[in-house]
Amino acid sequence: SLNSGFISSAGEAVSRFESLLALQCDTKHALATTSGTHALDLLMYALDVQPGDEVIVPALTFISVGATIARAGGRPVFVDVDKESLNLLPQAVEDAISPATKGIIAVHTFGHPCDMNALRKIADHHELFLIEDACEALGATVHGKPIGGLGDVAVHSFYANKMITTGNGGAITTNSDQLS
């Protein structure tokens, strides 16, 4: 029944879902959202993306990735992708960094994991945030480590065409207490 809270944000099912997602992604925290796009919108504000800030994203991606940056006042910087994996080319990311760069969004296109080790090194060297867009990659791993816990924070989508679906919905996973 509606009174049980089973299908609302306050229900036991949501808390259990968040716990299981955090376990799947090997993170301390998971937070259910209304969509993957909403998760990205929330992160642009949580990570303090301001007018004039740049965030590097792949040139081949879903429109929400760039739109969330623009809605926060920032500017998406589109870089080339690898012709095999369709993911960010680490050297293209490095070449696109400017004094205005605040972060990187690594999209695991069609479930193919990005080179997170290289992107992590670049982000750390330049003191940039690193978001994983894991909307198409739940269950994928990099060197035995699950997608969704390799960046500073990750977003997930559970739309009808994703690995698992809740009809719609999304989530954020992270080890950061500040972003949870």
Side-chain angles (χ1 to χ4, degrees):
S1 82
L2 291 177
N3 291 334
S4 74
F6 181 77
I7 60 169
S8 75
S9 62
E12 181 182 315
V14 175
S15 296
R16 185 162 184 259
F17 180 77
E18 289 171 334
S19 295
L20 290 170
L21 182 61
L23 184 64
Q24 168 65 39
C25 296
D26 195 22
T27 58
K28 290 174 25 181
H29 308 284
L31 174 67
T33 62
T34 59
S35 67
T37 299
H38 184 226
L40 280 171
D41 276 327
L42 290 171
L43 289 176
M44 291 303 103
Y45 293 102
L47 293 166
D48 198 33
V49 173
Q50 298 288 316
D53 290 341
E54 296 177 348
V55 179
I56 296 171
V57 300
L60 176 68
T61 191
F62 187 64
I63 192 169
S64 291
V65 175
T68 58
I69 298 163
R71 278 195 293 276
R75 184 173 81 82
V77 176
F78 297 96
V79 301
D80 281 339
V81 298
D82 178 80
K83 68 180 181 176
E84 297 297 320
S85 70
L86 305 177
N87 289 328
L88 284 172
L89 286 167
Q91 188 59 55
V93 170
E94 184 76 47
D95 294 345
I97 293 172
S98 78
T101 305
K102 186 141 190 180
I104 303 164
I105 300 178
V107 179
H108 303 297
T109 307
F110 301 132
H112 299 285
C114 292
D115 185 346
M116 292 303 294
N117 292 334
L119 294 173
R120 176 81 273 162
K121 286 178 186 173
I122 293 167
D124 289 348
H125 178 75
H126 294 280
E127 298 180 0
L128 305 173
F129 65 71
L130 178 58
I131 297 173
E132 287 180 87
D133 181 327
C135 291
E136 297 179 345
L138 187 62
T141 60
V142 174
H143 304 297
K145 295 183 180 178
I147 293 299
L150 302 176
D152 298 312
V153 63
V155 298
H156 304 269
S157 174
F158 306 110
Y159 188 68
N161 66 340
K162 302 302 187 228
M163 301 301 144
I164 64 171
T165 184
T166 56
N168 205 354
I172 295 169
T173 54
T174 185
N175 284 309
S176 168
D177 294 332
Q178 291 79 20
L179 293 175
S180 63

